[in-house]
Amino acid sequence: MGLTFAENHPPLCRTCWKLPFHAALLFALWLTGCNNTCFTFTSNPPTGTIGIKVSDPKPTCTLTTGSAVRLAVQTVPMCNSCSGSGRIQHVFVSIRGIEVHPSSTADDDPTDWQQLAPQLAKQPLQVDLVRDTADASERESLGEIVTVPSGIYRQLRVRFVPNQPIPEDRLPEKNACASVGFNCVVMADGRIQPILLDSGSPMLRIMSDRIEGGSLFLPSGTDSDLVIELKPVWAWFSSTDDGVRLLPALTGKAKVGRIEFDELGSLER
């Protein structure tokens, strides 16, 4: 009976190597999802030999998973119909970092955030959020195009130069806020008021409820335009020296668009 069974069902013996082959193949495919793993796979079906070699990744085995991003700040047109002394002439902010995070509940640990503008850490940039134009779509570019890991980001934060920096802080090349600091509102009558920011680590977090669509989707292999909208709002501020005052603070929004970079200016090489 044993010989008859073997003669009638030879495929079962010749194909039994496929089970470990399939298992090894699934394991190898799972390894490809690891960020720090490369593998080589060999199989010798007649002898039943299957080998997998895992090693540190080399440049040639890393897939392209980056998204080209250009940052811009949305500017607002000047209010020419507002009263003379109460009209805002300029809103200057000094930016030293822009970062994103995939989690909407991320803490402040800088190692967990993806930096979008590393050049600003070395040389902060002061920009004016107000334009003397009626074009509400005008934008201020924040530098060169950068490549960042593709993915979905649910939180963005903008870090500013403190109004009272310490000696180790990098400062912008130009400062239009005079003695009040590096972030300010300039009124039409010449008054300059500092923007209310956290003195320790001044930053503005833009959460998912302030992001168009709830998240920033940066797909692999695409060119994206990330636009940040910063606007001044008035808030009551209390201090022992000046009492209660109405000072400008900042609120923000963010969105991602797929546009031709020529609309923001040609890429300089």
Side-chain angles (χ1 to χ4, degrees), residues 51-64:
I52 297 176
K53 181 181 179 182
V54 180
S55 62
D56 291 334
K58 304 299 181 183
T60 56
C61 80
T62 302
L63 297 178
T64 301

Side-chain angles (χ1 to χ4, degrees), residues 41-247:
F41 177 81
T42 58
S43 173
N44 190 6
T47 62
T49 302
I50 298 175
I52 297 176
K53 181 181 179 182
V54 180
S55 62
D56 291 334
K58 304 299 181 183
T60 56
C61 80
T62 302
L63 297 178
T64 301
T65 58
S67 178
V69 178
R70 183 160 190 172
L71 296 170
V73 172
Q74 181 74 57
T75 58
V76 296
M78 186 181 299
C79 179
N80 294 320
S81 61
C82 299
S83 61
S85 61
R87 186 173 69 247
I88 294 178
Q89 196 84 8
H90 303 280
V91 176
F92 292 107
V93 292
S94 296
I95 302 174
R96 65 175 178 178
I98 299 174
E99 302 158 333
V100 290
H101 201 286
S103 172
S104 59
T105 59
D107 57 23
D108 291 333
D109 186 355
T111 60
D112 293 337
W113 290 77
Q114 177 61 48
Q115 178 65 259
L116 298 183
Q119 75 280 2
L120 295 179
K122 299 178 181 178
Q123 185 58 68
L125 180 65
Q126 187 175 82
V127 297
D128 187 359
L129 304 179
V130 177
R131 292 287 187 182
D132 188 11
T133 175
D135 186 2
S137 63
E138 188 122 1
R139 297 167 183 170
E140 177 79 19
S141 174
L142 293 179
E144 60 189 14
I145 297 170
V146 295
T147 300
V148 299
S150 57
I152 298 176
Y153 299 94
R154 296 176 176 83
Q155 190 175 168
L156 179 146
R157 69 181 184 184
V158 183
R159 296 189 295 112
F160 303 97
V161 175
N163 281 331
Q164 297 179 343
I166 59 177
E168 292 77 14
D169 286 331
R170 299 290 182 93
L171 304 177
E173 292 181 347
K174 299 179 180 180
N175 181 27
C177 295
S179 60
V180 304
F182 293 88
N183 309 277
C184 67
V185 169
V186 180
M187 310 302 292
D189 59 5
R191 287 180 295 121
I192 302 177
Q193 293 184 289
I195 293 177
L196 184 60
L197 295 169
D198 182 4
S199 58
S201 180
M203 71 175 67
L204 174 66
R205 285 190 181 230
I206 301 178
M207 312 299 287
S208 57
D209 61 337
R210 303 288 293 175
I211 296 175
E212 187 176 278
S215 63
L216 302 170
F217 177 41
L218 302 178
S220 176
T222 62
D223 299 339
S224 302
D225 171 38
L226 199 162
V227 180
I228 304 169
E229 181 180 341
L230 302 174
K231 286 187 175 180
V233 294
W234 296 96
W236 291 104
F237 173 73
S238 177
S239 67
T240 55
D241 296 333
D242 303 316
V244 179
R245 293 190 299 162
L246 194 62
L247 291 176

